[in-house]
Amino acid sequence: MKDFLKKILRPSYLKVTLGIIIMHLLVMAYNPAFVRNLEMKFYDLMFQLRGPRNPGPEVAIIAIDDRSLKAIGRWPWSRRQITRLMEVLQQADAKIIGFDIIFAEKEEETGVGLLHRLEQEMGRRSWKSPELQQWIDREYQSIDPDSDLAQRFKESDRVVLGYYFQGLETRQTAPGAFSLQISKDIIKSSTYDLVRWSSAQCIPSWLITAQGVEVNLPRLTRAAAETGYFNAVPDADGSIRSVPLVIRYQEDLYAPLALSILQRYLGNPLLQLVISEGGVNGIRLGRHQIPVDEHGRFRVNFRGPARTFPYYAFVDVVDGKIPPETFRDKIVLIGASAVGIYDIRVTPFSSIYPGVEVHANVIDNILRQDYLWAPTGLINPAALALVALSLVACLLLPKVRAWFGLVLFITLALSYFSIDFFLFANNNIYLQVIYPLNCLAVVYVALGLMRFLAEEAERKRIKAAFQNYVAPDVVNIMLQHPEKLHLGGEKREMTVMFSDIRGFTTLSERMEPEELVALLHSYLNPMTEIVFKHNGTMDKYIGDAIMAIYGAPLALPKHADQACQTALEMVEALSGLWEGWRAQGWPELRIGIGINSGSMTVGNMGSQRLFDYTVIGDNVNLASRLEGLNKYYGTAILVSEATQRLLQDSFILREVDRVRVKGKKAPVSIFELRGQGQPQGVEAELLQTFQAGLAAFRQQQWINATDHWHNCLRLVPDDGPAQLLLKRTQSLAQQPPPPDWDGTATLTEK
């Protein structure tokens, strides 16, 4: 059970990635405010990258702009100006006229005051004249701007007036904190035609609720064809990205100005609202199904920055500078664009955006059925992308190098953002950016940290395992490229070298232990440095013997050459040590070296408690036998024919014999390694003569072979192979070999 728990709790790339995914999905389900605010910035960026889109031709905006204010005077204007506009738009046959302004207070001209005082004086003096009272009433009607405007509204039967709900951002405010200007019956026309509650458990608290309302003058409101609120609730950063299409006020549910305008424009189809236990489930206007969130908010697909829709200055319209056909059969919205009137909003495209154009965007979205879809919650495409990106990163990052991992991370992030932008620009789908990219970034950092820690642990393990076996440069290469390292057992083409001190047993019996140890240190230290110099791995010390391997743990393309260079330099370095040894009374040591190449098994060999990185196999044994044969042939370095075939550099080699060593049936040719480069002078003559003698010897031409051996000894009197083969030739001349003799010497000793 304990081992099982350790296995479960042991961290891995997949476990860490899954943990990060689950953490992000949980936060995604909760969706804290600070993440929402950051997500909004990416949402705005999508609009800016996409750029403006052309709206439909149905909507035109008449702006109360700075030029109109300069020409007519400061706001608010006399209702006479609005009446003039109504006359123009009626003559132009505009289909719907929507006002994004409120006519909340009465307007009285000077004549109205005089009539009012006359009426009071008549009452005080008890003047009773029905004819005079009728005249006063007619004069009231003729000089009252509000009555005149109301008459225009009623005659046109195409006016939709806007009003304003109060207290939307303080739903917990106590009743009565906001004044109710008039009875709610005056705005009853803007309630939904049909509201369906899916069950009795539906909670009205999902809905945006108002505490008060500010409306137009009753006479104007009654004269209008429709009404609708023009509230736009900004997000936490003050930007308008969505508008509420339903607001609850005193148990009734109201529609906005844009929907009231559209309902009238489309011929008064049924306006329906469906509410479920999870909030607003849908809004339908005739055949138009309008998507909203659970609070009834509609995400506006803004067409562009301010003035993307056609704008006309109020003063130009009333002065007749705009052709009447400009507004024929259109939805005409009247609102302020002058900054001083304070109907300026912040949108994804701009921080100065007339509020009236927000309604224009909503109307155009619904007419085009060009809706934005931004799925949220735990089960949505962004959540699936979060999981997919993180798992792809988990699969690939551990397998690539650090710099490519960074490229992979950037590629995945840019790919997701590009797909998100493509969907937004072409399909009006916005997928959340923060959660998938943040999860990908956390996975990248976490896996990178895990990999770094694992590599550090591996570096320490490699350094501890090999710092005493190989040269520091090789250790550094292994640390930089651990993928090249294989510590497990494997078959590999390599070269192994054995060296041994001649007569060391006898020497150890004559010397004091302290002197013997000092002598060994003096010998082994430079020999080890030579092995390291040529990228060899110090396999082990066997008493006075050295075993080194070439081609592991790192593969070496010229392992045979490096082993031979090591051997030659060891012999040369040994002669350089003699002068110092003589001064201490130490003997001049001599060594024998055997080298063989071939397939060997390399790896950590031993038990669980004690193991060693070494090589085993027949080819290892042959190298050990060759080291011992140096005593027999009187040579310093012997290499096998397998090594001789692999040599790429120029070495001076002499084939000395073909032997069958103990434990092997197949004969092998062995070569004496005498130096590096091209043989010259006596050396070249010796090699040529010895080769001729060896050929004669194998052809059983004993007299010819004997002459060649004598010539070799004349050139080099103490040449060991020539002395040995001379004795063997003389012996075979006296006692000829059997008919199947092939010149191979069978050795019975190691």
Side-chain angles (χ1 to χ4, degrees):
M1 184 64 180
K2 186 177 180 181
D3 292 340
F4 176 75
L5 288 176
K6 283 185 178 180
K7 184 177 180 181
I8 293 296
L9 297 176
R10 185 181 299 121
S12 67
Y13 291 130
L14 180 59
K15 290 176 186 176
V16 170
T17 300
L18 291 177
I20 294 171
I21 290 173
I22 293 171
M23 178 188 69
H24 276 79
L25 290 178
L26 291 176
V27 177
M28 192 177 192
Y30 179 68
N31 200 20
F34 77 92
V35 180
R36 292 199 305 271
N37 293 339
L38 187 58
E39 189 70 52
M40 291 172 190
K41 304 307 178 185
F42 279 97
Y43 180 79
D44 295 348
L45 179 62
M46 291 294 183
F47 277 106
Q48 295 162 20
L49 292 175
R50 187 192 72 179
R53 297 288 176 86
N54 293 326
E58 294 87 355
V59 179
I61 296 174
I62 296 178
I64 303 170
D65 59 0
D66 291 316
R67 192 156 58 86
S68 299
L69 290 176
K70 185 176 181 180
I72 298 173
R74 67 186 180 89
W75 184 262
W77 294 331
S78 170
R79 303 285 155 76
R80 300 293 186 190
Q81 299 295 338
I82 308 300
T83 303
R84 289 176 63 195
L85 178 65
M86 285 298 303
E87 291 174 356
V88 173
L89 294 179
Q90 279 183 268
Q91 292 174 5
D93 198 22
K95 191 166 185 178
I96 299 294
I97 303 170
F99 284 90
D100 185 31
I101 51 179
I102 289 182
F103 307 104
E105 297 178 352
K106 294 181 180 181
E107 180 185 349
E108 292 187 357
E109 293 186 344
T110 304
V112 175
L114 290 173
L115 288 173
H116 183 62
R117 288 195 297 273
L118 176 61
E119 197 172 23
Q120 287 180 330
E121 186 66 21
M122 287 174 58
R124 188 174 62 82
R125 295 176 180 271
S126 299
W127 292 348
K128 303 292 183 181
S129 174
E131 293 80 5
L132 182 58
Q133 186 64 50
Q134 289 176 1
W135 179 84
I136 291 173
D137 291 341
R138 285 196 301 272
E139 288 301 310
Y140 263 130
Q141 185 72 23
S142 65
I143 65 175
D144 183 1
D146 292 333
S147 297
D148 195 16
L149 182 59
Q151 185 63 29
R152 288 292 180 183
F153 284 175
K154 190 171 183 179
E155 289 175 359
S156 71
D157 194 32
R158 66 192 73 184
V159 172
V160 181
L161 285 180
Y163 59 89
Y164 183 75
F165 278 122
Q166 298 173 325
L168 298 186
E169 297 180 350
T170 55
R171 287 187 241 171
Q172 304 304 319
T173 304
F178 294 91
S179 60
L180 179 62
Q181 299 290 328
I182 59 173
S183 170
K184 69 172 185 176
D185 293 337
I186 202 71
I187 57 173
K188 195 72 174 178
S189 64
S190 65
T191 57
Y192 276 83
D193 300 327
L194 177 63
V195 178
R196 290 193 300 153
W197 302 80
S198 62
S199 72
Q201 285 75 35
C202 294
I203 305 173
S205 63
W206 280 102
L207 302 172
I208 298 174
T209 303
Q211 302 295 327
V213 62
E214 184 177 354
V215 297
N216 296 277
L217 293 172
R219 71 173 73 176
L220 295 179
T221 302
R222 293 189 183 97
E226 295 284 351
T227 61
Y229 63 84
F230 50 66
N231 295 76
V233 181
D235 290 322
D237 61 350
S239 182
I240 299 293
R241 298 179 180 86
S242 61
V243 296
L245 295 191
V246 55
I247 290 179
R248 179 172 175 259
Y249 177 64
Q250 292 190 352
E251 307 306 324
D252 284 325
L253 304 177
Y254 293 86
L257 179 65
L259 278 186
S260 297
I261 290 172
L262 273 172
Q263 187 177 24
R264 194 77 177 175
Y265 180 79
L266 296 173
N268 293 310
L270 191 66
L271 181 58
Q272 305 175 63
L273 175 66
V274 179
I275 301 177
S276 65
E277 295 181 16
V280 179
N281 200 38
I283 294 175
R284 190 175 185 85
L285 176 61
R287 64 182 180 84
H288 296 281
Q289 184 71 38
I290 304 170
V292 292
D293 66 8
E294 66 272 15
H295 302 289
R297 294 174 300 198
F298 174 78
R299 195 177 291 271
V300 183
N301 189 358
F302 286 96
R303 298 313 190 203
R307 298 186 174 273
T308 300
F309 286 80
Y311 270 71
Y312 305 94
F314 186 102
V315 66
D316 291 341
V317 176
V318 298
D319 287 348
K321 296 180 180 179
I322 307 299
E325 59 270 15
T326 302
F327 305 108
R328 183 168 292 122
D329 293 327
K330 290 194 176 182
I331 297 172
V332 180
L333 300 178
I334 299 108
S337 66
V339 176
I341 303 180
Y342 303 109
D343 189 28
I344 300 301
R345 310 290 184 176
V346 178
T347 68
F349 274 106
S350 175
S351 59
I352 302 177
Y353 198 91
V356 65
E357 197 166 352
V358 175
H359 307 305
N361 278 278
V362 175
I363 292 169
D364 194 66
N365 288 176
I366 297 174
L367 287 175
R368 308 271 85 74
Q369 297 187 52
D370 188 16
Y371 306 125
L372 280 176
W373 183 50
T376 57
L378 190 57
I379 307 300
N380 67 75
L384 297 177
L386 180 153
V387 175
L389 286 172
S390 300
L391 291 179
V392 169
C394 175
L395 179 66
L396 298 180
L397 285 176
K399 298 180 180 179
V400 299
R401 301 187 65 177
W403 67 269
F404 192 78
L406 178 61
V407 173
L408 177 64
F409 164 70
I410 294 174
T411 301
L412 290 174
L414 290 179
S415 297
Y416 176 76
F417 188 84
S418 300
I419 292 171
D420 197 356
F421 174 71
F422 176 84
L423 292 174
F424 184 85
N426 295 278
N427 303 92
N428 293 327
I429 298 173
Y430 177 75
L431 303 182
Q432 291 171 295
V433 174
I434 297 297
Y435 290 107
L437 293 191
N438 188 73
C439 188
L440 177 63
V442 174
V443 167
Y444 169 73
V445 172
L447 296 191
L449 182 60
M450 287 183 65
R451 183 172 177 177
F452 173 77
L453 294 176
E455 288 179 354
E456 280 300 302
E458 181 70 5
R459 287 171 186 270
K460 290 180 180 179
R461 187 172 73 90
I462 292 172
K463 192 170 184 179
F466 287 98
Q467 62 183 352
N468 295 322
Y469 295 97
V470 296
D473 291 343
V474 177
V475 174
N476 291 333
I477 294 173
M478 288 160 42
L479 294 178
Q480 294 171 12
H481 303 282
E483 71 278 1
K484 297 181 178 181
L485 184 63
H486 298 279
L487 295 181
E490 62 168 332
K491 284 251 183 184
R492 185 182 288 190
E493 288 291 323
M494 300 168 54
T495 296
V496 61
M497 181 193 77
F498 284 88
S499 73
D500 186 43
I501 298 176
R502 295 287 167 256
F504 184 75
T505 302
T506 303
L507 180 65
S508 62
E509 292 175 353
R510 296 202 312 261
M511 295 183 69
E512 293 296 327
E514 293 80 2
E515 281 191 312
L516 183 63
V517 170
L519 176 62
L520 278 177
H521 283 177
S522 178
Y523 162 74
L524 292 175
N525 283 338
M527 299 300 128
T528 301
E529 292 302 320
I530 293 170
V531 172
F532 288 169
K533 175 183 174 181
H534 295 285
N535 297 322
T537 298
M538 187 60 65
D539 187 301
K540 63 175 65 72
Y541 300 112
I542 312 171
D544 60 310
I546 294 174
M547 177 180 176
I549 55 177
Y550 297 80
L554 295 181
L556 297 175
K558 299 171 67 174
H559 51 85
D561 293 72
Q562 288 166 307
C564 290
Q565 288 167 355
T566 301
L568 290 172
E569 195 166 334
M570 287 174 71
V571 172
E572 182 180 357
L574 182 62
S575 62
L577 294 174
W578 290 345
E579 184 176 350
W581 290 353
R582 293 192 198 100
Q584 299 188 54
W586 295 347
E588 296 180 358
L589 301 181
R590 298 187 181 277
I591 58 174
I593 300 174
I595 301 174
N596 184 38
S597 304
S599 178
M600 307 171 197
T601 300
V602 62
N604 288 320
M605 309 294 177
S607 65
Q608 292 183 351
R609 289 184 176 272
L610 185 64
F611 58 87
D612 188 21
Y613 188 79
T614 188
V615 290
I616 57 174
D618 284 344
N619 286 312
V620 178
N621 297 333
L622 178 57
S624 178
R625 300 289 188 272
L626 293 179
E627 181 273 316
L629 288 179
N630 282 292
K631 292 181 288 183
Y632 182 69
Y633 286 96
T635 54
I637 307 171
L638 288 178
V639 303
S640 68
E641 59 180 316
T643 300
Q644 179 263 339
R645 286 195 300 267
L646 292 176
L647 292 178
Q648 302 177 39
D649 295 336
S650 178
F651 288 92
I652 301 173
L653 293 169
R654 172 172 62 165
E655 184 181 4
V656 295
D657 206 352
R658 184 184 295 119
V659 299
R660 187 179 290 107
V661 299
K662 186 174 183 180
K664 293 183 69 71
K665 295 182 179 180
V668 294
S669 295
I670 59 176
F671 296 79
E672 179 191 13
L673 178 60
R674 297 180 61 87
Q676 194 167 5
Q678 295 297 325
Q680 301 291 332
V682 174
E683 182 73 15
E685 188 177 353
L686 173 66
L687 294 179
Q688 185 178 4
T689 304
F690 191 90
Q691 185 63 34
L694 193 59
F697 173 77
R698 290 172 177 169
Q699 294 173 10
Q700 301 186 28
Q701 298 175 4
W702 314 122
I703 297 174
N704 191 13
T706 299
D707 291 339
H708 286 303
W709 304 140
H710 283 299
N711 289 334
C712 289
L713 292 173
R714 179 179 52 80
L715 294 170
V716 182
D718 60 347
D719 183 53
Q723 292 175 348
L724 176 65
L725 287 175
L726 175 59
K727 292 179 182 179
R728 191 186 299 172
T729 302
Q730 292 172 344
S731 175
L732 290 172
Q734 296 177 2
Q735 187 175 352
D740 59 351
W741 182 77
D742 60 358
T744 299
T746 301
L747 305 178
T748 58
E749 296 182 0
K750 294 184 180 181

